[in-house]
Amino acid sequence: MTRIIADISVSLDGFVTGPDPGPDNGLGTGGEALHTWAFSDDPDDRRVLREATARSGAVVLGRRLFDLVDGPNGWNDTTGYGAAEVGKPAFVVVTSSPPESVRLTDLDWTFVTTGLPDAITTARERAQAASSASGKNLDVVLMGGGATVGSALDAGLADVLTLHLAPVILGAGTPLFTGTARHTLVQRSVTPTSTATHLTYDVL
């Protein structure tokens, strides 16, 4: 069964970027520390990254994050979703209008203008098709930004929440949890490394 997995890195004080994020400073001031684990040589960090990307049949992201990863300082051949790990999944972008052009034309982009639930439905269909083609059980991964992940949780659209808790206090930035919805979680795994604590919860 295809699961919807919200997967994001976060600081100890609950921010997914540092202060003053923008087109030329996508993670905000100090925000690079949130993703140190993704470039670590620690075998547990490598395993977490490898397993996460291997299960990705489709990936959902918001328009602001798309503009960053597709921008001139964004993803390239060595940095990007699961770079050097697995084949590239389909990407579904939640947006009010599609961009006029796309730099990363080697990736499979779908732009959904009718809201997050429809984007997740589209991503589920793509993941299920990829599952059938590969013979593997693949999931939909909500990679961000924080507003997209938070909205999915508040709307009851996520089955699993995976947090990569970085040992940093940013003091300000983009908060992950801004809604008033109460969430009941069941802890499924904890993997501590020198760069992060990887936490996985089922969302009830």
Side-chain angles (χ1 to χ4, degrees), residues 74 82 90 112 123 145:
V112 175

Side-chain angles (χ1 to χ4, degrees), residues 34-56:
L34 297 173
H35 296 274
T36 299
W37 72 271
F39 302 96
S40 166
D41 291 328
D42 185 292
D44 284 328
D45 285 327
R46 301 308 305 168
R47 177 182 57 79
V48 167
L49 181 64
R50 182 173 60 252
E51 291 176 354
T53 53
R55 71 170 181 248
S56 302

